[in-house]
Amino acid sequence: MAAGNWSAVTEFVLMSFSSLSTEIQTLLFLTFLAIYLVTLLGNSLIILVTLADPMLQSPMYFFLRNLSILEIGFNLVIVPKMLGTLIAQDTSISFLGCAIQMYFFFFFGVAECFLLATMAYDRYVAICSPLHYPVIMNQGTRAKLAAASWFPGFPVATVQTTWLFSFPFCANNKVNHFFCDSPPVLRLVCADTARFEVYAIVGTILVVMIPCLLILCSYTRIAASILKIPSAKGKHKAFSTCSSHLLVVSLFYVSSSLTYFRPKSNNSPESKKLISLSYTVVTPMLNPIIYSLRNNEVKNALSRTFHKALAFRNHIT
């Protein structure tokens, strides 16, 4: 395009929910603030209890702790700025700040995809090879699996963010979203982005489908093993150990697929904002709740931790 059609952009403006009235934005602020605090508290409690309680030292809780760390990071990248746009109308974000937000959004999103697949593999080993489970999932193996889950986020985030922000941007710097996601920022580019869009589509499909296929393979084998258990009680017990993970996987993949794999003709900016809220704000809050309410070991550990803290407080007072 002609040089006059683009300029050196130093900051972006997040449109967020500016089309809504002030009263509704205030209500959204209070709602999202409550969700944000519950998310931080819930995931922090999961981290604390899985570190402190000796009954929660199995590989499953090691990976759950990693998931909670990831969810806290994901929330810290997105929600504080969104709250600022709602209550203080602080809609501007620097060029570097936008790039950093996008980088960590990609990083945590990719890491979550692979971590959920790792957790499915952990459940597969636990149910299909229970006698060999402690040997297979020893401390070294679980550490390597966790590292392998976190690592893919680095190259994906680095390539996609660096490439996108190397393009020239038009004079219009308004990002029609509540955070710096790739599609709305890409619309502001004044250059041919065909190669980047192909890379982004292929990369997204690989990042989503590879972990998804691993999860499907794991649960296919798990289902086959559960069906071989003779007693109904045994089947229920085996299924209950992976029901929380299945629910978390469903929430994550359904919401992210609706966001990135819907036809463009059906994907208005406003509808995408609503769907994006599900996996950037709501899902990180629900994960610790799901694992707490559907897991007796976690509930008992939380109870023990609470009573120990209460006893310690009474002792020092």
Side-chain angles (χ1 to χ4, degrees):
M1 296 183 70
N5 290 342
W6 62 274
S7 60
V9 173
T10 58
E11 68 175 19
F12 294 97
V13 176
L14 296 172
M15 298 302 289
S16 190
F17 302 97
S18 57
S19 60
L20 302 176
S21 66
T22 304
E23 291 78 11
I24 295 178
Q25 288 192 55
T26 302
L27 180 61
L28 287 176
F29 169 80
L30 295 173
T31 302
F32 294 151
L33 177 61
I35 292 174
Y36 178 59
L37 294 176
V38 170
T39 299
L40 294 182
L41 177 62
N43 284 289
S44 296
L45 282 175
I46 292 291
I47 295 169
L48 175 65
V49 76
T50 55
L51 282 171
D53 197 286
M55 302 298 292
L56 300 183
Q57 301 307 308
S58 69
M60 180 175 76
Y61 298 111
F62 170 78
F63 294 123
L64 177 58
R65 182 163 64 247
N66 274 263
L67 181 63
S68 290
I69 294 171
L70 191 153
E71 297 290 25
I72 289 175
F74 203 79
N75 244 234
L76 290 174
V77 169
I78 304 295
V79 180
K81 182 61 183 176
M82 181 182 68
L83 293 175
T85 64
L86 287 170
I87 194 64
Q89 300 300 309
D90 179 21
T91 57
S92 64
I93 184 170
S94 68
F95 185 89
L96 179 60
C98 187
I100 291 173
Q101 187 183 55
M102 185 181 293
Y103 179 92
F104 283 104
F105 168 73
F106 285 136
F107 169 71
F108 287 120
V110 173
E112 182 156 359
C113 285
F114 284 92
L115 184 59
L116 290 173
T118 298
M119 295 172 78
Y121 174 72
D122 170 71
R123 292 298 81 211
Y124 157 70
V125 177
I127 293 173
C128 299
S129 303
L131 297 179
H132 299 98
Y133 179 61
V135 177
I136 297 173
M137 298 299 290
N138 56 56
Q139 288 190 348
T141 301
R142 70 181 80 165
K144 291 175 183 176
L145 286 171
S149 300
W150 285 84
F151 176 75
F154 287 109
V156 173
T158 300
V159 172
Q160 188 145 330
T161 305
T162 304
W163 192 352
L164 177 52
F165 281 87
S166 67
F167 285 121
F169 287 90
C170 302
N172 178 20
N173 64 344
K174 294 181 178 179
V175 179
N176 195 4
H177 212 326
F178 58 84
F179 71 99
C180 288
D181 196 5
S182 177
V185 174
L186 188 64
R187 294 190 188 102
L188 307 181
V189 171
C190 287
D192 182 7
T193 60
R195 288 180 62 191
F196 174 83
E197 291 184 60
V198 171
Y199 160 80
I201 292 170
V202 173
T204 302
I205 291 173
L206 290 176
V207 164
V208 172
M209 292 307 298
I210 291 174
C212 190
L213 288 173
L214 292 173
I215 292 170
L216 286 174
C217 288
S218 295
Y219 276 105
T220 300
R221 300 291 297 274
I222 287 171
S225 295
I226 290 177
L227 290 174
K228 293 177 182 178
I229 298 174
S231 67
K233 185 178 180 180
K235 289 179 180 178
H236 179 267
K237 183 178 179 181
F239 178 75
S240 66
T241 63
C242 52
S243 59
S244 297
H245 178 257
L246 267 175
L247 186 54
V248 168
V249 167
S250 300
L251 286 171
F252 179 79
Y253 274 100
V254 168
S255 57
S256 57
S257 296
L258 285 173
T259 301
Y260 293 104
F261 294 113
R262 292 174 70 197
K264 287 188 176 181
S265 59
N266 299 331
N267 203 8
S268 69
E270 298 306 317
S271 65
K272 185 175 180 180
K273 289 178 191 177
L274 292 174
I275 297 170
S276 297
L277 285 171
S278 63
Y279 67 88
T280 57
V281 179
V282 179
T283 300
M285 176 195 70
L286 292 178
N287 288 351
I289 295 175
I290 290 169
Y291 273 99
S292 298
L293 294 180
R294 299 181 64 87
N295 190 305
N296 288 328
E297 289 183 337
V298 174
K299 284 193 288 187
N300 293 335
L302 286 170
S303 178
R304 287 193 296 269
T305 302
F306 175 76
H307 285 103
K308 285 180 182 178
L310 194 62
F312 178 75
R313 180 186 175 186
N314 293 333
H315 176 73
I316 60 175
T317 55

